[in-house]
Amino acid sequence: MSKIFPAHWDVFSFSEAVRDATSDYSKLQKSDYLEQGAFPIVDQGRQHFGGYTNDKSLISGINSPAIVFGDHTRVFKFVEEPFCLGADGAKVLEPKVKLDKKFLFYYLSSLNIESAGYSRHFKFLKENVVPVPSLPEQIRIATILDKAEAISRKRQQAAQLADDLLRAVFLEMFGNVVTSSGYESSERFTISELVDYIDYRGKTPEKSDFGIPLITAKNVKNGYIDNEPREYIPEENYEAWMTRGMPLENDVLFTTEAPLGNVALLGKYQKVVIGQRLIALRSKGRVTHEYLMFLLLDPFIQDLIYARSSGSTVKGIRTKELYAIELPVPELDRQNEFSAIYWSCKALMDKHQEASKLQDLNFQALSQRAFQGQI
């Protein structure tokens, strides 16, 4: 963004205006995160909370509210409750001069920090200057941006409601087969009977700054593909690399380790590469990919997966163990009905996401004007 600020604003170097307060916080390794717990963990991931802990001794509210920066992801978070800090790449930033924290958060978020892959980005952030208008003007600007940001948040909530609806529909239609009694009485097939698979584990591709997109276990979340971190292999290596099979649109991606058991449908790519710790599953016809994805994400099936896993610190599952797991298979017509509902909801979610992207662009433009003193 432009570094031209109003003449009556003070301007400081980053190191003069902002302190790295990370050392004030206890940190928790990702392997120790809980899915549910008493206290939130804030890390560099895109989700506001990365997980939870029950260890009260790790929680700090000394500088609340806090600004957290993802050194690898370039994500800024404004955290208003006491929290535990994730250990990998999360930094807490504190003002050293008269700066309203919400104003500072919005200003830092407006900076264009170019991606350097999975490198650390704090060194690039420190190259910026920080404007310091009067405190009343800071609060006025932060309040305007708060109202604009609330609109974006409501659109995101609408997309989340659609996702919650899908999970509720799945349980309404198939919840009986993911209980102990229903599972035992259902018709079941092993995963190896239900799918063909593409597996590139054990091979490490040469990476590049651009080329053919590489989807790794880090991109596969619970039900969706995260574009970050963006990784590629050289286009000229593609044909020689893809010797074990070509992933196709809507293949079910399953992470076998670090993390174990994340599942998502592969999106639409002209060409794509899948990385280590990741398997692409393709139905042989007895299950739809949409049903298979939601089934593998269900807590009951996740327990079956983890029961066959190994590893004390990092859980993983061997191919033989994974493919021996038996999955309940209801009538295909019923599965197709769920798949149709899935794609209807997905179309709605995509519309909300497109609207959110437009709102984000408008918010960025408003931020630029705000920090040039034009609002």
Side-chain angles (χ1 to χ4, degrees):
M1 65 172 288
S2 171
K3 297 296 190 298
I4 301 175
F5 304 110
H8 64 282
W9 288 14
D10 292 328
V11 179
F12 294 85
S13 69
F14 185 91
S15 60
E16 291 174 323
V18 180
R19 177 176 75 93
D20 179 359
T22 309
S23 61
D24 297 346
Y25 290 76
S26 299
K27 297 180 181 180
L28 192 67
Q29 297 293 333
K30 193 172 184 67
S31 57
D32 295 322
Y33 288 17
L34 302 177
E35 290 189 6
Q36 295 181 334
F39 308 105
I41 301 168
V42 178
D43 59 16
Q44 66 171 337
R46 297 199 172 275
Q47 299 298 319
H48 192 63
F49 296 143
Y52 295 87
T53 180
N54 290 322
D55 189 345
K56 188 175 182 180
S57 69
L58 298 174
I59 306 306
S60 177
I62 54 173
N63 294 320
S64 294
I67 300 170
V68 178
F69 172 66
D71 207 355
H72 298 295
T73 60
R74 300 169 291 145
V75 170
F76 286 95
K77 298 179 183 179
F78 191 78
V79 188
E80 299 184 84
E81 56 271 273
F83 65 95
C84 171
L85 189 64
D88 183 22
K91 288 186 174 293
V92 182
L93 306 179
E94 280 287 310
K96 294 167 66 176
V97 295
K98 290 184 179 180
L99 276 164
D100 175 74
K101 285 189 179 179
K102 183 59 75 73
F103 173 88
L104 177 60
F105 164 74
Y106 280 130
Y107 172 71
L108 295 176
S109 300
S110 74
L111 296 173
N112 182 22
I113 306 170
E114 293 292 337
S115 174
Y118 203 66
S119 176
R120 294 186 178 273
H121 295 82
F122 188 55
K123 56 182 177 289
F124 304 123
L125 178 62
K126 291 192 294 184
E127 294 173 357
N128 291 276
V129 297
V130 178
V132 183
S134 67
L135 199 55
E137 191 163 3
Q138 291 181 44
I139 294 172
R140 182 182 67 84
I141 289 171
T143 300
I144 292 172
L145 294 177
D146 258 345
K147 291 178 180 178
E149 196 271 339
I151 297 174
S152 295
R153 189 165 56 247
K154 287 180 180 178
R155 292 193 181 278
Q156 292 168 1
Q157 289 170 348
Q160 181 62 50
L161 286 173
D163 185 62
D164 292 343
L165 172 63
L166 269 176
R167 296 179 190 278
V169 169
F170 177 83
L171 289 176
E172 177 67 25
M173 296 180 70
F174 307 111
N176 61 310
V177 300
V178 288
T179 63
S180 296
S181 58
Y183 177 81
E184 290 299 327
S185 62
S186 67
E187 183 177 19
R188 302 190 304 277
F189 296 87
T190 64
I191 291 179
S192 63
E193 292 175 308
L194 294 174
V195 302
D196 294 314
Y197 63 91
I198 299 171
D199 185 351
Y200 280 86
R201 289 180 296 170
K203 295 182 67 177
T204 303
E206 176 190 349
K207 298 178 184 179
S208 60
D209 293 334
F210 55 88
I212 306 300
L214 172 65
I215 305 298
T216 72
K218 291 177 287 189
N219 300 111
V220 179
K221 307 301 180 183
N222 284 335
Y224 70 97
I225 303 292
D226 189 343
N227 289 328
E228 298 292 341
R230 296 178 187 268
E231 297 183 282
Y232 304 89
I233 72 164
E235 187 164 6
E236 60 269 20
N237 293 357
Y238 179 72
E239 296 297 335
W241 175 260
M242 300 300 293
T243 57
R244 298 186 185 177
M246 300 289 186
L248 298 178
E249 181 180 357
N250 295 330
D251 281 352
V252 178
L253 301 184
F254 179 91
T255 61
T256 60
E257 183 184 1
L260 169 62
N262 282 2
V263 189
L265 294 183
L266 180 63
K268 189 173 184 178
Y269 296 88
Q270 186 174 6
K271 292 180 180 179
V272 69
V273 176
I274 61 171
Q276 294 191 79
R277 310 196 311 275
L278 196 58
I279 297 176
L281 308 176
R282 189 172 302 156
S283 174
K284 293 178 178 179
R286 283 196 175 104
V287 290
T288 68
H289 288 168
E290 298 78 20
Y291 169 77
L292 180 60
M293 175 177 69
F294 274 80
L295 183 64
L296 291 172
L297 286 172
D298 186 85
F300 183 87
I301 303 300
Q302 287 275 308
D303 286 344
L304 297 182
I305 293 168
Y306 271 82
R308 289 178 173 267
S309 67
S310 57
S312 55
T313 55
V314 178
K315 290 292 185 181
I317 190 166
R318 295 184 177 89
T319 302
K320 180 181 178 181
E321 295 294 332
L322 175 65
Y323 296 143
I325 294 173
E326 292 185 339
L327 298 180
V329 179
E331 297 84 356
L332 192 57
D333 286 348
R334 191 77 165 152
Q335 294 182 50
N336 284 327
E337 182 183 349
F338 173 74
S339 294
I341 295 171
Y342 170 83
W343 288 110
S344 294
C345 285
K346 182 69 164 53
L348 179 61
M349 287 188 284
D350 288 345
K351 287 182 180 179
H352 280 300
Q353 288 172 355
E354 287 301 315
S356 293
K357 289 178 183 178
L358 179 59
Q359 181 63 35
D360 287 345
L361 291 174
N362 291 336
F363 183 83
Q364 291 170 16
L366 180 64
S367 294
Q368 289 185 12
R369 291 180 58 206
F371 297 114
Q372 292 171 355
Q374 297 177 5
I375 62 171

